[in-house]
Structures are given as structure tokens and as C-alpha cells.
Amino acid sequence: MSSENTASFHDIFKSENEIPEEFKVPEIHQKVYLLNGELVEWKGETQNIYSPVCIPTQNGLRENYWEAFRILARKKRWKFWKHV
């Protein structure tokens, strides 16, 4: 592969202000879920989800945060799904 066909990560990923507004994904902080027709607040563990598209910064590339997804342990999962 020749060097003229390769681009650095900084050439591929655009800075935050170069991304058009219609393509920016807002952060999602959903702390409620529907259970038996009622909205219930999630108080358990979450896992942060990041975009595969990085944002160049002065300290290098930064993964862009999207949302926090609820983590259900096996017992909690069964308790949740048996109500559905």
C-alpha cells in the first residue's frame, strides 16, 4: 500500500465544529423504562456507549459519547422479561 493511498486518522475524522448539525447525534440519558404500563426509573448499573467516529482534540482522538445502556444481570433480566 503506497503512502499516497493512506490517510491519517486526523485526516479521516473531522473536528466537532466541521460536522453538520443534521449529522450530530445528541447524548441520550434515558433513566426510565416501561414496565407493566408504568414508567420506572432505572437505578442499576449502566454501560457507556461511544460512537465509532472519533473527534480529534489537542490530546489526540476522543470517542464521542452516545448514551448509557442499562445492564441487566441474569436474575434481573428474568424478573424484567417475565412481566412483558
Side-chain angles (χ1 to χ4, degrees):
M1 181 185 295
S2 70
S3 60
E4 63 190 44
N5 291 332
T6 61
S8 75
F9 285 121
H10 289 283
D11 294 332
I12 294 171
F13 297 117
K14 302 301 179 193
S15 68
E16 211 156 4
N17 61 355
E18 292 178 288
I19 300 171
E21 286 299 319
E22 64 266 21
F23 297 111
K24 291 184 180 180
V25 178
E27 291 184 8
I28 300 171
H29 299 279
Q30 185 175 351
K31 297 289 185 182
V32 295
Y33 60 99
L34 187 62
L35 179 62
N36 289 334
E38 294 182 34
L39 290 174
V40 180
E41 183 180 358
W42 178 257
K43 296 179 183 176
E45 291 182 70
T46 58
Q47 172 68 47
N48 290 340
I49 307 297
Y50 294 90
S51 166
V53 177
C54 295
I55 304 293
T57 68
Q58 291 178 347
N59 298 323
L61 294 174
R62 170 181 60 84
E63 292 179 301
N64 199 22
Y65 174 83
W66 271 353
E67 68 175 305
F69 191 77
R70 297 178 305 275
I71 297 176
L72 297 174
R74 177 171 272 163
K75 287 182 181 179
K76 290 180 185 176
R77 232 181 284 141
W78 171 248
K79 184 178 178 182
F80 174 80
W81 285 110
K82 74 179 186 179
H83 293 288
V84 177

